[in-house]
Amino acid sequence: NIFAQSLRARRSFMVGLLVYDILDPYCAPIVKEIEATLIPHGYTMLISDLGYDQNRYREALDVLTWRRADGIIAIANHFPNDLAALRKTAALTPVVVIGRVTREKDVPSFVVNDRQGGLLAAHHLLQMGHREIGIIWDHSQYEWSTLRWKGVEKAFADAGRRIDPRNVCLIEQKSSDAGYDAAGKLVAQNPKITAICAVNDLTAIGAVRAVFDSGRSVPDDISVIGFDDLWLARHYNPPLTTVAQPLDRLGQLATQTLLERIAHPKRAMKGATLKPSLVVRRSTAKLR
């Protein structure tokens, strides 16, 4: 009897999960691994899909505390750091964050080394001989995007080159449609572009479509690389070269850390920064 167990243990055996969009392919493998890690310990998961609404983020934290969740996991890479709300909640309920660096001792972060990932992506294209490289990026509202950009800059600097501002197209939404429009503009204004580096897989997929619609091919005319290694990247045509994030491992580590804190309230929680890896598929090739 779950209710009787909860009363006896003085726990709800429920973990709250905050996601910015449950349909986002970035979230799916993380959520799946969180649930798989919780089930053997007798825990259930209460999901709040916030729909990119920052106000609902604060409200959901309060509701989960009121519902006596034993712990809270926030997939928060698409929300600006709201340290006041996190501190307030963590004072009552253990909280871990996936996808954003909090720099809070009591709110550990589980992230991927985005700077290294950006370096891997740009370095791959430069190693393949590409020099006219189009870059599709966002306006760097989020730290992970800024770190990826710093990695791209370092790769160019290491190769003794600079990023041509004319080959950079900034986008508002990191979506396939935005990637399509941005790639179309880049190849139209600079026909010499032979490669495109995109901020994530969705924009890269849109870029591939734009290249084909412009009468060129991927990778024979233009190579394209993404970031994340979403399941769609493997099955797209051509399969997308990308920088892989160990998303399932992020979910597993964050959940294990939270469960250990629930079982041992005085035990300190430590976050983790995982390494990305380059996955070469058929969307990139050496410059002819």
Side-chain angles (χ1 to χ4, degrees), residues 9-64:
R10 294 184 180 180
R11 295 181 192 168
S12 65
F13 289 97
M14 177 185 71
V15 166
L17 175 63
L18 306 183
V19 296
Y20 57 86
D21 181 3
I22 195 66
L23 296 179
D24 191 300
Y26 170 90
C27 294
I30 297 177
V31 173
K32 184 177 181 181
E33 193 61 38
I34 289 171
E35 185 174 38
T37 308
L38 287 174
I39 288 175
H41 297 273
Y43 276 83
T44 58
M45 185 169 59
L46 180 61
I47 300 177
S48 290
D49 185 355
L50 306 178
Y52 296 93
D53 188 335
Q54 180 70 22
N55 294 323
R56 288 176 60 192
Y57 184 60
R58 281 175 169 263
E59 293 169 3
L61 285 170
D62 290 339
V63 168
L64 289 172

Side-chain angles (χ1 to χ4, degrees), residues 23-151:
L23 296 179
D24 191 300
Y26 170 90
C27 294
I30 297 177
V31 173
K32 184 177 181 181
E33 193 61 38
I34 289 171
E35 185 174 38
T37 308
L38 287 174
I39 288 175
H41 297 273
Y43 276 83
T44 58
M45 185 169 59
L46 180 61
I47 300 177
S48 290
D49 185 355
L50 306 178
Y52 296 93
D53 188 335
Q54 180 70 22
N55 294 323
R56 288 176 60 192
Y57 184 60
R58 281 175 169 263
E59 293 169 3
L61 285 170
D62 290 339
V63 168
L64 289 172
T65 303
W66 176 75
R67 292 286 299 270
R68 301 179 65 85
D70 291 333
I72 297 173
I73 302 172
I75 303 176
N77 53 319
H78 273 276
F79 286 110
N81 276 342
D82 194 341
L83 298 182
L86 289 173
R87 282 194 209 100
K88 174 185 172 184
T89 304
L92 301 170
T93 307
V95 179
V96 298
V97 172
I98 297 173
R100 287 200 66 83
V101 177
T102 62
R103 297 184 179 87
E104 289 288 305
K105 183 177 68 173
D106 296 329
V107 186
S109 306
F110 295 84
V111 297
V112 170
N113 189 327
D114 286 295
R115 186 174 183 273
Q116 183 184 7
L119 188 150
L120 286 173
H123 180 70
H124 172 69
L125 295 178
L126 291 163
Q127 260 198 330
M128 304 285 261
H130 297 282
R131 294 297 177 262
E132 291 290 335
I133 299 175
I135 301 176
I136 302 174
W137 224 255
D138 71 322
H139 288 279
S140 300
Q141 180 182 3
Y142 306 107
E143 186 178 36
W144 58 266
S145 177
T146 301
L147 290 171
R148 291 181 192 181
W149 178 258
K150 288 181 178 179

Side-chain angles (χ1 to χ4, degrees), residues 165-201:
R166 295 172 299 176
N167 289 344
V168 178
C169 189
L170 298 180
I171 56 177
E172 296 292 338
Q173 299 291 331
K174 291 173 280 293
S175 64
S176 59
D177 287 342
Y180 179 89
D181 293 339
K185 291 176 183 177
L186 286 172
V187 298
Q189 65 190 26
N190 184 1
K192 294 182 180 180
I193 282 178
T194 62
I196 292 176
C197 181
V199 65
N200 66 356
D201 283 349

